[in-house]
Amino acid sequence: MKKLITLDAWIGIALMIFSVFFWVLSGKFPEEAQLFPRFFLIANFALSALLVINTVRHNSKQETEAHSSINWQELALIIEAYLGIMAYIICINFVGFYASTTVFLLAFMLFLNVRKPLVLVGVTAGMDAFLYLLFTIGLKLSLPAGMLF
């Protein structure tokens, strides 16, 4: 018999708990500052609930045993991606936001098997320019420069 709650459903449940937890934390914000994060928390909760519902519905229709076990190769890719994101977040404090973001974008696109040089350079340069224009020029925010620079 196939399991109804698989890894996808557990991830959806974890994201729903995450949304509720941060909803409660956002209650300490000033009333004007609650709107933006709560909008995204509602969207995250709704999409996570859809993920759980669709996974359970899909699993109840499927009768094959081939998909019921965890695919360890896919799980390893998810863990590697998560560790890469954590390394990126840590590196922001040491080498700065823009340098870390540039290296992260290039490394993550290579991780996702994007190999065209024009795409690698174009997306990275475009994202850096967009982030600079949005945060530094538009919003007048200073992003972390890092301890090394």
Side-chain angles (χ1 to χ4, degrees):
M1 179 168 187
K2 182 165 168 106
K3 293 177 10 179
L4 290 178
I5 308 255
T6 57
L7 183 62
D8 289 344
W10 284 115
I11 290 172
I13 291 168
L15 287 171
M16 290 169 64
I17 292 169
F18 170 87
S19 296
V20 170
F21 176 73
F22 281 101
W23 179 279
V24 172
L25 286 181
S26 71
K28 297 176 184 175
F29 295 170
E31 190 172 329
E32 303 84 30
Q34 289 179 0
L35 182 64
F36 188 70
R38 285 190 168 183
F39 169 75
F40 285 105
L41 290 170
I42 289 170
N44 186 47
F45 187 89
L47 292 172
S48 300
L50 270 172
L51 175 65
V52 172
I53 291 167
N54 285 338
T55 301
V56 170
R57 187 172 17 162
H58 174 75
N59 290 341
S60 67
K61 290 180 184 177
Q62 294 286 336
E63 293 299 325
T64 60
E65 280 293 318
H67 296 288
S68 66
S69 65
I70 295 175
N71 185 342
W72 292 105
Q73 289 177 332
E74 289 180 6
L75 187 59
L77 287 174
I78 293 170
I79 292 171
E80 288 174 20
Y82 178 76
L83 291 174
I85 293 169
M86 291 292 100
Y88 163 64
I89 292 170
I90 292 168
C91 286
I92 288 174
N93 292 326
F94 293 108
V95 295
F97 178 78
Y98 292 112
S100 296
T101 301
T102 301
V103 171
F104 173 74
L105 285 173
L106 286 170
F108 208 72
M109 284 190 288
L110 291 171
F111 175 76
L112 295 172
N113 292 322
V114 176
R115 299 287 188 244
K116 295 181 180 177
L118 185 61
V119 172
L120 290 169
V121 172
V123 168
T124 303
M127 183 61 86
D128 283 342
F130 173 76
L131 291 173
Y132 178 76
L133 290 172
L134 177 67
F135 290 115
T136 305
I137 304 296
L139 297 174
K140 307 266 190 260
L141 294 175
S142 60
L143 296 171
M147 291 191 284
L148 298 178
F149 296 106

